[in-house]
Every structure is written in structure tokens, then in C-alpha cells.
């Protein structure tokens, strides 16, 4: 059972996938993620924030942000089953007025209508889609300067950072890894840098 963890929708059950085609972030992982956002030195003001939830799946992360006070969330997803669950969950939380659902590929998104303060990317594990999506979202204007970007990867995956992204933190939770990045448009080309090797 998936639930909203905190905020105005706390305890709300969300529709979850029956099979293994989708891999929604666990309640524990979402709790850890929002604890980092709200209580660490890299924290961001969620209240009123514009959020993009890319590779949105069931929408649990974006809906958690809305529950905790985000002003608007844009969900990017292109898989049919996921879209059905996503629409159902937005309706269950009565957040249709504060949510846009885009049927699109996060590695080739449409131009942004408004730049976001906070981005969540949860691509399928092991396919190295995160760098492509970060670059594509940047090129299409999805990030405000100094936007915070949170990427979920498999624990063993390495993430090569596209130009303009700075690594702030990286943490392992079981089989998952949370990587926190800051986007800063310097206007200068930079060489991508891999995450440091773990011993």
C-alpha cells in the first residue's frame, strides 16, 4: 500500500501498480527524501514551489510535494499504465487544479510553460536515462537558475553530470541511491564530471 506521508493529504492511499512494470519509490524512500529537502543545508522551500516530477510513474513524489505545500506540479510520463494510475492518484488527492499531466518522454520533453524550483527524476534503473533527461529538460527551459534536482538511481549506478549541474549530496537507501544536484546556468560550457567512486 502506498500512502502520502505528510501534509494535508497525510495517510491518503494511492493507486499502485499490480505487476512489476512500474517501480514506485517506497514510502520510506520518499520520507527520507523529503527529510533531506526540509532539514538539510541543501533544503529548499517547498511551500509554494513549482515542481516537475519526471518519469512520474504513479505520481507519488509530486503528490507528496503538493501535500507538503508545493504550489504546482507538472508530471511527465509516457507509459500508458502509469498515466492511468497517475490521473487516478491526482483525482484521489483532489489536486487537478494544481497539477498538469504531460504525456511525454522526459528525455525529449516539450518546452516548459514555466520553469520549476524543484525537480524529481526517477528513471528506470540501469538505462542511464538521467543525464539525457537532465540535459533535455535544461534545454527546454524546465529549470529556474539554482533549481534543486533530485535523481533516484540504483545504488550501484554512476551519474555523469551534464554541464551546469553541481553535486550537492548522494545517499544510499537499500537498493536505491538519491542524488541531489543544483542547476546553475553559468553560460559557460563545462566538462561533465562523474560521481566519486565509492570504496
Amino acid at each position: 500500500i502506498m500512502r502520502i506521508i505528510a501534509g494535508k493529504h497525510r495517510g491518503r492511499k494511492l493507486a499502485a501498480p499490480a505487476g512489476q512494470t512500474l517501480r514506485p519509490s517506497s514510502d520510506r524512500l520518499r520520507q527520507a527524501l523529503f527529510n533531506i529537502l526540509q532539514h538539510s543545508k541543501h533544503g529548499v522551500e517547498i511551500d509554494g514551489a513549482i515542481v516537475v516530477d519526471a518519469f512520474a510513474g504513479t505520481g507519488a513524489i509530486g503528490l507528496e510535494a503538493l501535500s507538503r505545500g508545493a504550489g504546482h506540479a507538472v508530471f511527465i510520463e509516457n507509459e500508458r499504465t502509469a498515466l492511468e494510475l497517475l490521473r487516478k492518484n491526482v483525482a484521489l488527492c483532489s489536486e487537478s487544479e494544481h497539477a498538469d499531466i504531460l504525456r511525454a518522454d522526459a528525455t525529449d520533453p516539450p518546452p516548459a510553460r514555466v520553469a520549476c524550483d524543484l525537480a524529481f527524476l526517477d528513471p528506470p534503473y540501469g538505462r542511464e536515462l538521467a543525464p539525457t533527461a537532465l540535459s533535455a529538460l535544461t534545454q527546454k527551459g524546465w529549470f529556474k537558475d539554482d533549481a534543486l534536482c533530485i535523481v533516484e538511481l540504483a545504488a550501484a549506478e554512476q551519474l555523469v553530470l551534464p554541464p551546469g549541474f553541481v553535486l550537492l549530496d548522494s545517499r544510499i537507501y537499500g537498493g536505491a541511491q538519491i542524488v541531489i544536484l543544483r542547476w546553475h546556468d553559468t553560460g559557460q560550457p563545462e566538462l561533465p564530471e562523474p560521481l566519486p567512486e565509492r570504496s
Side-chain angles (χ1 to χ4, degrees):
I1 297 175
M2 284 200 312
R3 300 175 187 269
I4 298 293
I5 298 160
K8 62 186 177 183
H9 302 310
R10 180 178 180 180
R12 173 83 63 185
K13 293 180 182 179
L14 299 176
Q20 299 299 315
T21 55
L22 295 176
R23 178 194 43 75
S25 297
S26 69
D27 289 2
R28 175 175 171 267
L29 189 64
R30 278 184 287 121
Q31 178 70 64
L33 170 57
F34 281 92
N35 282 345
I36 293 169
L37 289 179
Q38 294 185 294
H39 302 299
S40 80
K41 62 183 178 180
H42 307 308
V44 65
E45 180 59 58
I46 294 178
D47 195 39
I50 298 170
V51 173
V52 60
D53 185 355
F55 305 98
T58 62
I61 293 179
L63 287 167
E64 186 75 41
L66 287 172
S67 181
R68 293 170 185 246
H72 197 83
V74 181
F75 298 88
I76 301 176
E77 179 56 65
N78 66 350
E79 202 276 323
R80 184 178 60 82
T81 302
L83 281 165
E84 291 175 0
L85 289 169
L86 176 53
R87 293 187 182 105
K88 184 174 183 178
N89 285 331
V90 168
L92 283 171
C93 293
S94 302
E95 287 288 5
S96 298
E97 290 185 14
H98 302 108
D100 291 325
I101 298 174
L102 299 184
R103 182 168 192 168
D105 184 345
T107 65
D108 185 21
R113 294 180 182 174
V114 60
C116 73
D117 305 288
L118 180 59
F120 300 100
L121 285 79
D122 185 10
Y125 285 179
R127 292 171 56 185
E128 300 182 352
L129 296 177
T132 303
L134 287 168
S135 295
L137 290 163
T138 299
Q139 291 165 8
K140 296 297 179 69
W142 281 92
F143 304 139
K144 288 183 181 176
D145 194 27
D146 285 336
L148 210 61
C149 302
I150 293 89
V151 183
E152 181 182 335
L153 305 167
E157 281 188 82
Q158 292 291 310
L159 174 61
V160 176
L161 305 185
F165 288 93
V166 176
L167 173 66
L168 300 180
D169 201 353
S170 175
R171 305 189 188 190
I172 301 292
Y173 296 92
Q177 175 184 184
I178 295 294
V179 181
I180 301 178
L181 309 172
R182 179 83 68 188
W183 159 249
H184 182 57
D185 186 2
T186 62
Q188 300 294 322
E190 300 175 31
L191 293 174
E193 55 182 88
L195 290 176
E197 293 287 340
R198 291 192 179 81
S199 57

